[in-house]
Amino acid sequence: SYASKWEPSNQRLDSSRREESMHDKMPEAAHDILVFLEKIFGALKESRDAFENDQGKNGETSASEEYGKFKCPDDKEWEMKYYGPSGSGDGRNPVGCKGFFQSLNVTPQEIEKVQTQMGLCHETLSSKRGADDKSQNRNTAADRLFELVTTLCSAFKLSEHYYISTAITANGNLDFATGSGDGNNRMGRFKRNPKPCPQNPPLTANNPRPRNRICNHPTCNKQSKGTISHDAHCNGETPRWESHLIINLLTPGILMAPLLRDCRSVVLASGSLAPIGSLCSELHLLPPAVGSTDTGPTPKSKEDSKEDKGHDDPLSITFGRLQVTPRPLEANHVVSLPKQLLALSIGHFPDGSPLSCTYSSYSKAGFHDKLGLAIASIIESIPKGGVLVFFPSFSFLRKCVSTWQNSSTWQRLLSSKGEVVVEPSSSQSEFEEARGLFNGTIERTGNCILLAVFRGKMSEGVSFNDDYARGVICVGVPFPSSYDRSISAKMAYNNEQRRFRKKDLLPGSEWYSQQAYRAIAQAIGRCIRHAADYGTIILLDSRHCDDGHSYNQSGICRAHTNLPKWMRSSVRTLRRDMRREGRNDLLGGWNNLQKEMRSFFQAASVHGASVLKKQKEE
């Protein structure tokens, strides 16, 4: 809208007879931004056209066949182009997303100009914020546009730290996109209807037919002699497929740098920062050079900060900022672990067969049934309270639920706790509904089972203290999908940076492995939330078990070294029989497990009550 109001500046000044303000500059600024974004739109349209015309495995034909055969979810993405780390760079330097901007012929001068104009537009629109719905919608769109342009400019300047890709998704749902159903009345899992493109200029009684407005800006006139229109994308059509631009920052150090630049001291505190070494490497926090007495920079003035913002390498600011005396603190838990935590790793099913939750195991006959019986046996041993069961993925969770509901397992779960709540994978409202059902059942009956996923909303940021979670069962080792582009790009980025820049970064494979244990740490942190709390944590997978051979200097087995410090030494391994193999075993198999659980909860409830009583007295 602003770009369409462009007029020659002398005409604007002659007619208004007043000094040019920020608002007067808006049409020029908006036009520059629009021309820049049209390059991006062109790349997205090119990807969509290539997808629709491709008869091979990367095109619409293959996507339609895949949907017809497997009924893949409506939000499935088909990647078309990828510009990012390869793991080896160009042989001499990291590459990142540089190729994306090169393909669009974007120059540094253009980026600087667009960044300046976007700042002007954002400041002008922010000063005109209104309280009505129309103003709020306009301001929200302006904020999103500002965020997009700012991110693109950052990706251009720091290209080695980003990846950019284009991906295709269905417009609304795959029934509409593939022409296999009535997509406008979709009632599937995601319940999304197709969206039409905006019509600009809008159709009216005086203008009933679509028409494109010709741009009268000198630059556009010079290029095409008055034939350029910026309305071509806003034609009111409803395309079957949407093309998306994906921009991912691959290191948090870029976001940490401004804090370290402007602050003398920064304190990072959380329950899940460990492993500390890996965290410091990702944030590019490095200790001072040996012999240095520098404890950090002097807080900068606003003028100095503005000058630093143009620095070519923001990560250079973080050198020497890590405090080494005293050392970073990794604290123990506030509870008495021997009395208030029963932590077990289990690597076999009740029938004695190996328990390993890998992709190869999922396809074995009877695997899901045996897993259900094992989980039911554990839950039946927990006398009272909620039990949280975390699975590696939603697809695995759904498969388990459908299998158990058609067997006696589901009835055993209901008999032991009365209600089973399954975490939804869709909207926030459905998540709140599931959470409310779980909490309400606990408050009403004191018992409930929650089946959820690692990295899901239930596993991070939700507190299940006291009877809301007396047990947490972690199924498998939740490695992220290596087919996920954001994961493979991060692994390649770490390898590329280690080769050319930062030797202290974890290799891609080690970073990948660490993500699984960060997810486990988040999940097991849902219970035992205060000094009087207690509960059991069960790690169901042979990869969590002590093999009896590999120990570090602290006597911790290799399988437990990536677990949170506060529980590493407390995890016991359940053995099939009475033969001891490790240093911290629970002998007697599944039969002794039930006896051990009953004994633990009886003693833990008494100890927890005494701690609570002591706190009240104090």
Side-chain angles (χ1 to χ4, degrees), residues 21-306:
S21 65
M22 286 195 301
H23 188 273
D24 296 322
K25 297 178 182 178
M26 276 291 289
E28 179 74 27
H31 183 270
D32 290 340
I33 296 168
L34 183 58
V35 171
F36 171 71
L37 291 177
E38 280 194 324
K39 290 186 176 183
I40 310 297
F41 299 154
L44 292 175
K45 187 177 185 301
E46 180 182 331
S47 289
R48 188 176 69 183
D49 291 344
F51 176 81
E52 292 176 340
N53 297 325
D54 190 339
Q55 301 297 315
K57 63 179 182 179
N58 294 321
E60 178 182 1
T61 302
S62 176
S64 299
E65 292 174 355
E66 182 180 353
Y67 178 61
K69 185 176 181 180
F70 300 109
K71 293 297 179 184
C72 46
D74 289 334
D75 62 349
K76 179 176 173 59
E77 295 180 351
W78 285 269
E79 183 180 88
M80 295 302 295
K81 290 188 176 182
Y82 166 74
Y83 304 89
S86 63
S88 57
D90 62 4
R92 294 176 298 176
N93 293 291
V95 175
C97 65
K98 184 185 300 183
F100 174 77
F101 295 101
Q102 289 176 339
S103 69
L104 301 179
N105 297 317
V106 176
T107 64
Q109 294 77 15
E110 184 178 5
I111 287 293
E112 290 296 337
K113 184 177 182 181
V114 167
Q115 199 164 17
T116 301
Q117 301 289 48
M118 191 69 243
L120 169 66
C121 288
H122 192 252
E123 185 177 355
T124 302
L125 293 173
S126 298
S127 66
K128 294 181 174 297
R129 293 184 182 273
D132 59 294
D133 292 341
K134 188 174 182 180
S135 295
Q136 291 295 331
N137 292 336
R138 183 173 61 249
N139 292 331
T140 300
D143 290 340
R144 293 177 64 188
L145 180 62
F146 177 75
E147 182 181 3
L148 170 63
V149 173
T150 301
T151 302
L152 284 166
C153 292
S154 177
F156 179 88
K157 295 179 178 180
L158 304 168
S159 58
E160 70 178 75
H161 303 298
Y162 284 83
Y163 87 80
I164 292 178
S165 66
T166 58
I168 305 298
T169 63
N171 181 11
N173 58 78
L174 281 164
D175 280 345
F176 172 74
T178 61
S180 57
D182 185 3
N184 288 305
N185 292 292
R186 174 77 165 175
M187 290 304 291
R189 194 186 331 141
F190 294 95
K191 302 178 182 177
R192 291 175 51 205
N193 288 325
K195 299 176 295 184
C197 293
Q199 178 69 58
N200 190 33
L203 302 182
T204 64
N206 295 329
N207 298 296
R209 295 181 180 179
R211 61 185 180 86
N212 291 331
R213 292 176 291 191
I214 302 302
C215 180
N216 63 350
H217 192 280
T219 303
C220 293
N221 272 322
K222 183 177 179 180
Q223 289 178 353
S224 62
K225 298 180 181 180
T227 61
I228 287 185
S229 170
H230 301 298
D231 297 327
H233 300 285
C234 304
N235 53 16
E237 295 179 353
T238 304
R240 293 180 297 116
W241 301 96
E242 293 180 336
S243 186
H244 296 263
L245 184 71
I246 299 169
I247 313 173
N248 250 345
L249 177 62
L250 295 168
T251 172
I254 299 294
L255 305 179
M256 189 71 180
L259 288 175
L260 299 179
R261 178 189 61 228
D262 297 335
C263 303
R264 180 175 180 82
S265 299
V266 179
V267 179
L268 301 178
S270 173
S272 55
L273 294 180
I276 299 295
S278 169
L279 172 79
C280 293
S281 177
E282 287 290 334
L283 294 177
H284 210 264
L285 289 173
L286 302 175
V290 177
S292 172
T293 59
D294 185 18
T295 58
T298 303
K300 296 180 180 290
S301 65
K302 291 183 179 180
E303 290 73 18
D304 291 337
S305 295
K306 288 180 180 178

Side-chain angles (χ1 to χ4, degrees), residues 373-384:
L373 293 176
I375 291 174
S377 296
I378 295 171
I379 292 176
E380 288 169 346
S381 302
I382 300 175
K384 185 183 179 182

Side-chain angles (χ1 to χ4, degrees), residues 37 138 188 193 209 304 317 341 351 422 430 478 500 588:
L37 291 177
R138 183 173 61 249
N193 288 325
R209 295 181 180 179
D304 291 337
I317 298 170
L341 172 68
D351 65 2
V422 180
E430 292 183 355
F500 299 110

Side-chain angles (χ1 to χ4, degrees), residues 442-593:
I442 291 291
E443 292 162 5
R444 188 172 62 257
T445 68
N447 293 295
C448 194
I449 299 170
L450 175 63
L451 307 181
V453 296
F454 293 105
R455 302 184 188 88
K457 295 177 181 177
M458 294 290 187
S459 71
E460 300 182 5
V462 180
S463 179
F464 295 95
N465 55 289
D466 300 317
D467 280 347
Y468 289 94
R470 290 302 180 198
V472 173
I473 302 173
C474 297
V475 179
V477 183
F479 291 108
S481 172
S482 58
Y483 296 102
D484 186 327
R485 174 56 78 184
S486 63
I487 300 300
S488 62
K490 172 60 177 173
M491 293 170 65
Y493 170 81
N494 276 30
N495 291 336
E496 203 168 272
Q497 290 291 310
R498 279 177 60 84
R499 181 176 181 181
F500 299 110
R501 298 280 193 267
K502 297 170 58 182
K503 305 301 182 183
D504 59 318
L505 263 183
L506 285 178
S509 58
E510 290 186 27
W511 173 89
Y512 175 77
S513 177
Q514 201 172 87
Q515 302 317 298
Y517 289 94
R518 287 192 184 279
I520 290 173
Q522 286 284 357
I524 62 181
R526 296 312 94 204
C527 73
I528 311 186
R529 307 289 291 185
H530 56 83
D533 212 350
Y534 61 90
T536 181
I537 295 172
I538 308 294
L539 305 174
L540 277 183
D541 197 288
S542 59
R543 290 170 287 182
H544 292 304
C545 295
D546 183 354
D547 62 6
H549 300 292
S550 304
Y551 298 91
N552 63 16
Q553 294 179 345
S554 301
I556 306 298
C557 71
R558 182 174 58 183
H560 300 159
T561 53
N562 286 322
L563 294 173
K565 176 187 174 183
W566 60 268
M567 69 172 290
R568 287 174 200 157
S569 60
S570 300
V571 182
R572 304 165 67 186
T573 297
L574 180 69
R575 301 300 178 188
R576 292 184 178 87
D577 47 38
M578 300 302 294
R579 290 179 294 180
R580 186 176 299 277
E581 300 179 31
R583 297 183 179 181
N584 197 5
D585 291 342
L586 176 62
L587 307 180
W590 283 81
N591 290 332
N592 192 40
L593 171 64

